Amino acid sequence: MTRFESAREIYASCGVDVEEAMRKLTQTPVSLHCWQGDDVTGFDHDGPLTGGIQTTGNYPGKARTPEQLMADMDKAMSLMPGKKKLNLHASYAIFAPGEFVDRDRLEPGHFAKWVEFAKARNMGIDFNPTFFSHPRVKDGLTLSSPDPETRKFWIDHGRACIRISEYFARETGVPCVMNIWTGDGYKDVPADRMGPRMRYKESIEQILEEPFDRSLVKPCIESKVFGIGVEAYTAGSAEFTLTFAATHEGCLPLMDNGHYHPTELVSDKIPALLCFFPEIALHITRGIRWDSDHVLLLDDETREMAKEIVRCGGLDRVYMALDYFDAGINRVSAWAVGFRSWQKALLAALCTPHDALRTLQEEAGFTELMARQEMIKLLPLGDIWNEYCTREGVVSDMDFYGEIKRYEDEVLKSR
Ligand code: RNT
Ligand code: ZN
């Protein structure tokens, strides 16, 4: 008997069908963020990263052109089991030589190369208007700016992005999740907290006035508690975005687990939101002390979030996207380790006998529940994971680093 066969039997004795778990996992798309490959730089500006986010580190080999970014993403994806969706930011528009188009005038054609890339790899595409790293961010504000011209520029950007999102959906045949996040806020105690939020609300409403097919484009709004240089106040707070989504038909809330106070747990918020919203969206990251966007690992909260999605029957109600950026290590490895960690978390969740555990809770069998939950932690998940990687045609954890090293030596070092 192989290790996998033995593990399969052990899981079966706990009431878990690992074949079914692996099948479900291969059918569940996870959105892969293009911005891990180049430290959130994009191709439409030379300036610094702004908006309260920051990449730290200066590891060599960063992708600087669309070709390099695509090649690195291909390498990273060759190391990831499971189904991927491409997650793009508007700042990754690809212009013809000598061409420049500002964000309020972007067109589907500026993303044609990405569509070609996604289609060839059988991926859908998610999209993000880029409300940061741009000279039209005025005094740290975009959609909530008191300046009507500034607001108009960014509203036009949002509307252009809706048209581009619809194009992605039509081309790929997969709905496009379009996420609105701005870094709008203040470093220090504001004199007016409601004014910017009223303007933010009206601006998003104007973006959503752009006609679009709601089965093709899924707009969502991401909240954030603070950012670098935006410590005292954000316009798009948790209450603001959640209430916006709840009161605007077809608009989804997006929770990024780096965007809450450190003791708040998104794993607990997922089932709360699923009581009310037909669909929600997530940015999955790992914050250390703040929204530091470290590479996702298989830690307790990562596992807990995956568990909630699975046991709430949320695999097709929760749009899952990775969102982190580490410039301090090999970026291809960062991409792939994070994606593999989320796959492991989902696999662990799918290999858990949730119904039996739920019954214990309902019957108040808390002693047995605790004992069983502890037992499950050391079931031979690694053997299932290895089998899953083999079936998906990707390297095992044992051989992973060798692949990274080879690509670094052969490709990244010569950049
Ligand atoms: C920033 C938000 C946002 C960005 C990306 C690049 O704190 O998490 O989602 O990370 O849009
Ligand atoms: Zn995010």
Side-chain angles (χ1 to χ4, degrees):
M1 207 193 280
T2 63
R3 286 181 62 139
F4 169 66
E5 287 162 351
S6 150
R8 184 170 58 191
E9 274 189 16
I10 295 169
Y11 274 99
S13 72
C14 299
V16 172
D17 178 352
V18 298
E19 295 289 348
E20 175 66 7
M22 287 190 280
R23 203 162 28 245
K24 275 199 184 140
L25 189 50
T26 56
Q27 291 163 1
T28 303
V30 175
S31 224
L32 184 65
H33 54 317
C34 71
W35 53 93
Q36 163 56 52
D38 73 338
D39 314 340
V40 209
T41 306
F43 306 125
D44 75 342
H45 67 102
D46 293 325
L49 177 60
T50 66
I53 51 178
Q54 212 170 65
T55 49
T56 54
N58 197 18
Y59 201 82
K62 163 177 163 168
R64 290 175 198 283
T65 63
E67 294 71 29
Q68 289 178 352
L69 188 63
M70 288 177 187
D72 290 358
M73 196 179 246
D74 265 338
K75 181 64 200 180
M77 289 194 295
S78 76
L79 304 171
M80 300 169 186
K83 189 168 173 177
K84 296 111 201 155
K85 200 174 177 190
L86 174 62
N87 204 358
L88 292 177
H89 245 286
S91 52
Y92 289 76
I94 300 176
F95 301 125
E99 185 192 19
F100 173 74
V101 175
D102 215 346
R103 291 193 189 157
D104 59 335
R105 282 153 197 256
L106 285 173
E107 285 176 24
H110 300 122
F111 296 87
K113 288 211 171 111
W114 283 115
V115 165
E116 204 182 297
F117 178 86
K119 276 174 149 176
R121 288 151 188 80
N122 212 359
M123 297 191 286
I125 307 178
D126 290 333
F127 200 43
N128 305 259
T130 312
F131 296 102
F132 53 83
S133 303
H134 191 280
R136 293 299 296 266
V137 178
K138 192 165 187 273
D139 306 321
L141 304 177
T142 60
L143 294 175
S144 71
S145 170
D147 172 38
E149 286 302 307
T150 299
R151 284 205 305 282
K152 174 153 192 320
F153 177 85
W154 291 108
I155 290 165
D156 287 345
H157 175 53
R159 297 178 77 128
C161 287
I162 288 189
R163 297 191 290 272
I164 295 162
S165 297
E166 195 169 85
Y167 155 75
F168 287 155
R170 287 195 196 286
E171 288 288 326
T172 61
V174 181
C176 173
V177 175
M178 193 196 91
N179 176 44
I180 294 174
W181 173 75
T182 73
D184 287 23
Y186 288 108
K187 176 179 170 127
D188 226 319
V189 187
D192 175 13
R193 291 172 188 273
M194 189 170 155
R197 288 187 177 138
M198 282 307 293
R199 293 190 290 269
Y200 196 12
K201 172 176 177 281
E202 280 155 22
S203 294
I204 306 170
E205 283 166 348
Q206 286 182 47
I207 291 174
L208 298 180
E209 273 167 21
E210 179 70 25
F212 64 96
D213 182 334
R214 287 184 188 266
S215 68
L216 296 180
V217 180
K218 312 269 178 174
C220 40
I221 319 287
E222 178 180 12
S223 70
K224 185 158 177 168
V225 64
F226 83 96
I228 297 181
V230 197
E231 285 84 0
Y233 165 88
T234 54
S237 64
E239 293 73 15
F240 175 89
T241 56
L242 195 54
T243 313
F244 187 97
T247 53
H248 291 73
E249 182 71 34
C251 190
L252 281 57
L254 186 147
M255 295 190 290
D256 179 315
N257 63 302
H259 291 191
Y260 296 86
H261 295 289
T263 56
E264 282 184 84
L265 296 172
V266 164
S267 53
D268 185 62
K269 299 176 193 293
I270 292 167
L273 265 54
L274 286 176
C275 293
F276 298 94
F277 291 95
E279 294 181 318
I280 64 170
L282 291 182
H283 272 182
I284 304 158
T285 186
R286 179 170 56 106
I288 298 192
R289 306 192 188 283
W290 69 290
D291 181 36
S292 59
D293 286 301
H294 281 68
V295 175
L296 196 70
L297 300 178
L298 186 63
D299 61 19
D300 284 352
E301 174 59 2
T302 302
R303 297 176 69 130
E304 208 60 28
M305 286 192 292
K307 218 193 269 178
E308 285 300 344
I309 295 167
V310 168
R311 69 187 178 195
C312 293
L315 279 178
D316 50 12
R317 294 175 60 195
V318 181
Y319 294 101
M320 299 174 263
L322 303 183
D323 180 17
Y324 54 79
F325 22 97
D326 190 341
I329 56 172
N330 180 303
R331 294 171 184 80
V332 175
S333 185
W335 246 330
V337 166
F339 195 93
R340 288 169 73 106
S341 299
W342 186 242
Q343 289 277 301
K344 287 175 190 170
L346 288 172
L347 184 65
L350 286 161
C351 290
T352 301
H354 297 293
D355 291 343
L357 296 175
R358 185 180 295 117
T359 302
L360 286 173
Q361 175 176 315
E362 283 168 7
E363 292 171 351
F366 299 121
T367 308
E368 186 177 351
L369 177 59
M370 183 188 283
R372 292 213 171 272
Q373 283 181 321
E374 286 306 287
M375 179 273 288
I376 286 163
K377 286 183 184 169
L378 292 191
L379 288 178
L381 187 72
D383 294 329
I384 313 297
W385 169 252
N386 284 339
E387 176 69 13
Y388 178 64
C389 286
T390 305
R391 291 187 189 181
E392 287 286 288
V394 305
V395 290
S396 67
D397 286 2
M398 288 282 249
D399 297 328
F400 178 84
Y401 180 69
E403 283 294 308
I404 293 294
K405 181 84 177 52
R406 184 163 334 122
Y407 190 73
E408 182 162 314
D409 290 342
E410 288 171 7
V411 179
L412 301 180
K413 275 196 177 145
S414 60
R415 281 185 187 159

